[in-house]
Amino acid sequence: MKSSALLLSSAAPIAFLVLSALAAPTSAFLSRSVSTSTPDNGSGTCLNAASGYKLGAKTTGILLNNRFVVESLGSVLPDGVEMSEIALLRFALAHPERRDAEGALKSAVRWRQGKGKEIVDAAAEAVAKATEGGGWDNDVVRNAAPHGDIINKYITPQSVITMSTDEGDLVYVIRASQIDDKELMDRATVEQVCDYFLYAKEIHNLVANSRSESTGRMCSVIFANDISGVRKAPDRRFSQALTSSSDQYESLYPSLAGPTMILNLPFVLQAFVGLLKPLFPKSVQERLVFKRAPVLAGLKELTPLATDARTKTSFVKEVKKLLP
């Protein structure tokens, strides 16, 4: 019994790091251009992607089923505020009752017009510039990140990266053990790091909505949290920034998060997966997957996922196999 208590005590910081990853930014925001090709729907994956739809669901069908609420949301947008049907659809999916959806949308719009306006504007401008040539210039997006002159030194492609599946879903990969969070927080404030995280979410949101419109397939963000090397909980200040950003995720970007994979959990803790799962919010539990990922575990850092075609292909295939 005593040894079990010690193991669960060790699991706590790991669970926190995984939860934190839902808020963390993407250093290499995307590793390929926004796809406009016809998606491959032959995978058979049926895991919940987010509220109200399955991974790989057709955009047109979901819009048709939620047309009444989507149109209602469009009618309550303040003058001068434009949001795509896909953006409105995500609120409708997360809040099936019209009044709840309208309230959630109005709250998000207040943030986008107020405290979050600079973040939203910077992300929109960065995505527009990054895609000017028809591809994706990641340096443009990184350089435009709030406080990037400080934070980009610590949040790098070695530890955090976003890539894509062949079907167009975003795969956000984080190896928290390779982030020097203490030194980062000695140089940046909690608010600065939180703004940086929110900017990354907005980038994901813009790209996911664009892909959903252009491909006819709802695009989600799949979280791949590599626990390799985790030995301790994050710096307290880093945790505050993560918590602040995470608390706003579902309210600002509903129905965007897809499956959450906890990869390469230490062997000694694998027997306690059933006890770890309840530590996560219920909305995350529904999309939670605990697996071993040999391709990912074999990398000393994450950079090859973006720079080496063979490694990237192998990992994308691994992701598809890991999803139920």
Side-chain angles (χ1 to χ4, degrees), residues 13 16-17 20 181 232-239 242:
F16 183 84
L17 281 168
S20 299
D181 53 353
K232 60 183 179 63
D235 180 271
R236 176 183 55 82
R237 298 160 297 174
F238 192 60
S239 299
L242 291 172

PDB file of all heavy atoms in Angstrom, residues 13 16-17 20 181 232-239 242:
ATOM      1  N   PRO A  13       2.438  14.979 -10.734  1.00  0.00           N
ATOM      2  CA  PRO A  13       3.036  15.969 -11.615  1.00  0.00           C
ATOM      3  C   PRO A  13       2.923  15.599 -13.077  1.00  0.00           C
ATOM      4  O   PRO A  13       2.815  16.477 -13.937  1.00  0.00           O
ATOM      5  CB  PRO A  13       4.508  15.997 -11.172  1.00  0.00           C
ATOM      6  CG  PRO A  13       4.739  14.724 -10.447  1.00  0.00           C
ATOM      7  CD  PRO A  13       3.425  14.408  -9.804  1.00  0.00           C
ATOM      8  N   PHE A  16      -0.452  16.624 -14.193  1.00  0.00           N
ATOM      9  CA  PHE A  16      -0.518  18.077 -14.321  1.00  0.00           C
ATOM     10  C   PHE A  16       0.144  18.537 -15.613  1.00  0.00           C
ATOM     11  O   PHE A  16      -0.358  19.424 -16.302  1.00  0.00           O
ATOM     12  CB  PHE A  16       0.156  18.764 -13.139  1.00  0.00           C
ATOM     13  CG  PHE A  16       0.057  20.263 -13.199  1.00  0.00           C
ATOM     14  CD1 PHE A  16      -1.073  20.896 -12.728  1.00  0.00           C
ATOM     15  CD2 PHE A  16       1.057  21.031 -13.765  1.00  0.00           C
ATOM     16  CE1 PHE A  16      -1.194  22.275 -12.814  1.00  0.00           C
ATOM     17  CE2 PHE A  16       0.942  22.405 -13.853  1.00  0.00           C
ATOM     18  CZ  PHE A  16      -0.184  23.028 -13.367  1.00  0.00           C
ATOM     19  N   LEU A  17       1.279  17.917 -15.943  1.00  0.00           N
ATOM     20  CA  LEU A  17       1.973  18.290 -17.168  1.00  0.00           C
ATOM     21  C   LEU A  17       1.119  17.998 -18.391  1.00  0.00           C
ATOM     22  O   LEU A  17       1.098  18.762 -19.350  1.00  0.00           O
ATOM     23  CB  LEU A  17       3.311  17.543 -17.261  1.00  0.00           C
ATOM     24  CG  LEU A  17       4.444  18.114 -16.418  1.00  0.00           C
ATOM     25  CD1 LEU A  17       5.601  17.127 -16.375  1.00  0.00           C
ATOM     26  CD2 LEU A  17       4.920  19.446 -16.970  1.00  0.00           C
ATOM     27  N   SER A  20      -1.486  20.553 -18.567  1.00  0.00           N
ATOM     28  CA  SER A  20      -0.862  21.801 -18.978  1.00  0.00           C
ATOM     29  C   SER A  20      -0.659  21.847 -20.478  1.00  0.00           C
ATOM     30  O   SER A  20      -0.737  22.900 -21.102  1.00  0.00           O
ATOM     31  CB  SER A  20       0.488  21.974 -18.273  1.00  0.00           C
ATOM     32  OG  SER A  20       0.324  22.014 -16.876  1.00  0.00           O
ATOM     33  N   ASP A 181      11.489  25.563 -18.096  1.00  0.00           N
ATOM     34  CA  ASP A 181      10.444  26.483 -17.657  1.00  0.00           C
ATOM     35  C   ASP A 181      10.920  27.455 -16.574  1.00  0.00           C
ATOM     36  O   ASP A 181      10.464  28.592 -16.506  1.00  0.00           O
ATOM     37  CB  ASP A 181       9.212  25.714 -17.186  1.00  0.00           C
ATOM     38  CG  ASP A 181       9.524  24.661 -16.139  1.00  0.00           C
ATOM     39  OD1 ASP A 181      10.708  24.417 -15.860  1.00  0.00           O
ATOM     40  OD2 ASP A 181       8.567  24.072 -15.603  1.00  0.00           O
ATOM     41  N   LYS A 232       9.638  15.891 -12.766  1.00  0.00           N
ATOM     42  CA  LYS A 232       9.155  16.814 -11.742  1.00  0.00           C
ATOM     43  C   LYS A 232       8.033  17.670 -12.303  1.00  0.00           C
ATOM     44  O   LYS A 232       7.825  17.733 -13.515  1.00  0.00           O
ATOM     45  CB  LYS A 232      10.287  17.716 -11.249  1.00  0.00           C
ATOM     46  CG  LYS A 232      10.931  18.570 -12.334  1.00  0.00           C
ATOM     47  CD  LYS A 232      12.091  19.375 -11.793  1.00  0.00           C
ATOM     48  CE  LYS A 232      12.754  20.220 -12.866  1.00  0.00           C
ATOM     49  NZ  LYS A 232      11.841  21.237 -13.418  1.00  0.00           N
ATOM     50  N   ALA A 233       7.316  18.329 -11.409  1.00  0.00           N
ATOM     51  CA  ALA A 233       6.247  19.236 -11.813  1.00  0.00           C
ATOM     52  C   ALA A 233       6.857  20.523 -12.380  1.00  0.00           C
ATOM     53  O   ALA A 233       8.017  20.849 -12.106  1.00  0.00           O
ATOM     54  CB  ALA A 233       5.366  19.566 -10.614  1.00  0.00           C
ATOM     55  N   PRO A 234       6.079  21.266 -13.180  1.00  0.00           N
ATOM     56  CA  PRO A 234       6.597  22.503 -13.759  1.00  0.00           C
ATOM     57  C   PRO A 234       6.873  23.571 -12.702  1.00  0.00           C
ATOM     58  O   PRO A 234       6.392  23.493 -11.570  1.00  0.00           O
ATOM     59  CB  PRO A 234       5.465  22.953 -14.690  1.00  0.00           C
ATOM     60  CG  PRO A 234       4.579  21.776 -14.856  1.00  0.00           C
ATOM     61  CD  PRO A 234       4.709  20.982 -13.613  1.00  0.00           C
ATOM     62  N   ASP A 235       7.619  24.587 -13.104  1.00  0.00           N
ATOM     63  CA  ASP A 235       7.836  25.753 -12.256  1.00  0.00           C
ATOM     64  C   ASP A 235       6.484  26.357 -11.872  1.00  0.00           C
ATOM     65  O   ASP A 235       5.558  26.390 -12.687  1.00  0.00           O
ATOM     66  CB  ASP A 235       8.676  26.781 -13.034  1.00  0.00           C
ATOM     67  CG  ASP A 235       8.957  28.042 -12.246  1.00  0.00           C
ATOM     68  OD1 ASP A 235       8.113  28.971 -12.329  1.00  0.00           O
ATOM     69  OD2 ASP A 235       9.974  28.105 -11.556  1.00  0.00           O
ATOM     70  N   ARG A 236       6.348  26.808 -10.653  1.00  0.00           N
ATOM     71  CA  ARG A 236       5.075  27.324 -10.147  1.00  0.00           C
ATOM     72  C   ARG A 236       4.530  28.446 -11.029  1.00  0.00           C
ATOM     73  O   ARG A 236       3.336  28.501 -11.331  1.00  0.00           O
ATOM     74  CB  ARG A 236       5.258  27.826  -8.711  1.00  0.00           C
ATOM     75  CG  ARG A 236       4.006  28.472  -8.116  1.00  0.00           C
ATOM     76  CD  ARG A 236       4.292  28.999  -6.725  1.00  0.00           C
ATOM     77  NE  ARG A 236       5.420  29.908  -6.717  1.00  0.00           N
ATOM     78  CZ  ARG A 236       5.339  31.206  -7.054  1.00  0.00           C
ATOM     79  NH1 ARG A 236       4.177  31.720  -7.433  1.00  0.00           N
ATOM     80  NH2 ARG A 236       6.406  31.973  -7.012  1.00  0.00           N
ATOM     81  N   ARG A 237       5.401  29.358 -11.454  1.00  0.00           N
ATOM     82  CA  ARG A 237       4.951  30.483 -12.285  1.00  0.00           C
ATOM     83  C   ARG A 237       4.511  30.007 -13.664  1.00  0.00           C
ATOM     84  O   ARG A 237       3.540  30.507 -14.241  1.00  0.00           O
ATOM     85  CB  ARG A 237       6.085  31.507 -12.414  1.00  0.00           C
ATOM     86  CG  ARG A 237       6.508  32.130 -11.077  1.00  0.00           C
ATOM     87  CD  ARG A 237       7.907  32.730 -11.172  1.00  0.00           C
ATOM     88  NE  ARG A 237       8.907  31.688 -11.451  1.00  0.00           N
ATOM     89  CZ  ARG A 237      10.186  31.956 -11.698  1.00  0.00           C
ATOM     90  NH1 ARG A 237      10.616  33.210 -11.715  1.00  0.00           N
ATOM     91  NH2 ARG A 237      11.039  30.962 -11.938  1.00  0.00           N
ATOM     92  N   PHE A 238       5.218  29.020 -14.183  1.00  0.00           N
ATOM     93  CA  PHE A 238       4.847  28.430 -15.473  1.00  0.00           C
ATOM     94  C   PHE A 238       3.478  27.771 -15.359  1.00  0.00           C
ATOM     95  O   PHE A 238       2.635  27.893 -16.255  1.00  0.00           O
ATOM     96  CB  PHE A 238       5.911  27.401 -15.868  1.00  0.00           C
ATOM     97  CG  PHE A 238       5.814  26.916 -17.290  1.00  0.00           C
ATOM     98  CD1 PHE A 238       5.912  27.791 -18.354  1.00  0.00           C
ATOM     99  CD2 PHE A 238       5.632  25.563 -17.559  1.00  0.00           C
ATOM    100  CE1 PHE A 238       5.847  27.344 -19.671  1.00  0.00           C
ATOM    101  CE2 PHE A 238       5.554  25.099 -18.870  1.00  0.00           C
ATOM    102  CZ  PHE A 238       5.663  25.995 -19.927  1.00  0.00           C
ATOM    103  N   SER A 239       3.245  27.108 -14.231  1.00  0.00           N
ATOM    104  CA  SER A 239       1.958  26.478 -13.981  1.00  0.00           C
ATOM    105  C   SER A 239       0.835  27.502 -13.961  1.00  0.00           C
ATOM    106  O   SER A 239      -0.265  27.254 -14.472  1.00  0.00           O
ATOM    107  CB  SER A 239       1.988  25.728 -12.644  1.00  0.00           C
ATOM    108  OG  SER A 239       2.956  24.704 -12.655  1.00  0.00           O
ATOM    109  N   LEU A 242       0.060  28.444 -17.530  1.00  0.00           N
ATOM    110  CA  LEU A 242      -0.633  27.340 -18.181  1.00  0.00           C
ATOM    111  C   LEU A 242      -2.088  27.258 -17.723  1.00  0.00           C
ATOM    112  O   LEU A 242      -2.997  27.078 -18.531  1.00  0.00           O
ATOM    113  CB  LEU A 242       0.075  26.020 -17.872  1.00  0.00           C
ATOM    114  CG  LEU A 242       1.451  25.806 -18.498  1.00  0.00           C
ATOM    115  CD1 LEU A 242       2.092  24.556 -17.928  1.00  0.00           C
ATOM    116  CD2 LEU A 242       1.356  25.713 -20.002  1.00  0.00           C
TER     117      LEU A 242
END
